[in-house]
């Protein structure tokens, strides 16, 4: 049995959870999330905790057990605290700004790149080079941060591009020169 899946998910006081079969709906101060769990797992409420259990002993049910528990725990944490990823732009002339809700990037191209956020995602820019992508759904925040990074991924020679704050870029030596 999954070690992660066995752990119950605590429900904070300011969060409301509704269960309809395998569908879980979580409401909290940061928004509302809804997800249908995969087949092979069941979810029950025991007081102020949620417990995910596999419905059978097959390998697929055991694999989905820990995944489903983690998905539910991420939903509860997302509506209470929220998630965010911070990116940093490195390079001469690289800058970002928010116009309305749209993120406008000057990333070394002849034109500015505009990214419209999906529902539930917000952009924040600090010092024209630090971009924070935040929202209640962990998966959506990660996907949107990856889309921003994909506009100009960091290159290994000068380190120019858009990178995550904690990311280290493996640098390469350039040309060695004539001998």
């Amino acid at each position: 049995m999954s070690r992660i899946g066995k752990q119950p998910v605590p429900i904070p006081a300011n969060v409301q959870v509704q269960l309809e079969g395998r569908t879980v709906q979580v409401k909290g101060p940061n928004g509302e999330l809804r997800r249908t769990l995969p087949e092979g797992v069941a979810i029950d409420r025991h007081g102020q905790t949620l417990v995910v259990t596999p419905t059978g002993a097959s390998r697929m049910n055991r694999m989905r057990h820990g995944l489903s528990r983690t998905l539910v725990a991420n939903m509860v944490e997302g509506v209470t605290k929220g998630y965010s990823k911070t990116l940093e732009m490195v390079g001469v002339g690289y800058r970002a700004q928010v116009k309305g809700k749209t993120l406008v990037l000057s990333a070394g191209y002849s034109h500015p790149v505009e990214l419209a956020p999906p529902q539930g995602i917000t952009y924040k820019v600090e010092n024209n080079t630090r971009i924070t992508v935040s929202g209640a759904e962990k998966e959506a925040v990660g996907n949107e941060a990856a889309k921003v990074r994909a506009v100009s991924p960091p290159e290994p020679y000068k380190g120019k591009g858009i990178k995550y704050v904690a990311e280290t870029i493996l640098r390469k030596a350039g040309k060695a020169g004539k001998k």
Side-chain angles (χ1 to χ4, degrees), residues 14-178:
N14 56 355
V15 174
Q16 300 170 352
V17 178
Q18 285 184 300
L19 303 174
E20 300 168 14
R22 289 191 336 259
T23 303
V24 181
Q25 184 174 2
V26 182
K27 290 182 187 176
N30 284 352
E32 178 180 334
L33 296 175
R34 182 183 194 92
R35 181 182 288 266
T36 302
L37 297 178
E39 291 182 20
V41 294
I43 185 162
D44 297 315
R45 185 177 185 147
H46 296 293
Q48 285 300 100
T49 60
L50 294 173
V51 178
V52 179
T53 54
T55 56
S58 74
R59 184 170 186 203
M60 288 305 290
N61 291 356
R62 290 194 321 257
M63 288 192 314
R64 292 176 179 155
H65 181 210
L67 167 74
S68 300
R69 187 262 177 211
T70 302
L71 291 174
V72 171
N74 287 344
M75 289 170 65
V76 171
E77 187 176 341
V79 297
T80 54
K81 299 176 189 170
Y83 290 100
S84 68
K85 291 227 179 216
T86 306
L87 298 111
E88 189 174 38
M89 298 182 84
V90 179
V92 176
Y94 280 49
R95 61 183 168 274
Q97 60 184 2
V98 177
K99 287 186 179 175
K101 290 186 175 184
T102 306
L103 179 67
V104 180
L105 302 171
S106 297
Y109 298 113
S110 61
H111 60 282
V113 178
E114 295 185 1
L115 296 171
Q119 186 176 355
I121 300 293
T122 57
Y123 296 121
K124 192 171 118 185
V125 176
E126 303 165 18
N127 301 335
N128 292 333
T129 57
R130 243 175 146 72
I131 305 161
T132 304
V133 181
S134 57
E137 191 176 357
K138 186 175 188 177
E139 186 177 350
V141 169
N143 285 342
E144 203 57 32
K147 285 180 189 175
V148 172
R149 184 183 182 276
V151 169
S152 178
E155 55 97 13
Y157 295 103
K158 293 184 179 179
K160 290 171 35 172
I162 303 172
K163 67 180 191 81
Y164 295 110
V165 168
E167 182 180 13
T168 56
I169 308 302
L170 294 176
R171 303 293 293 271
K172 294 182 178 179
K175 292 183 177 178
K178 274 192 167 178

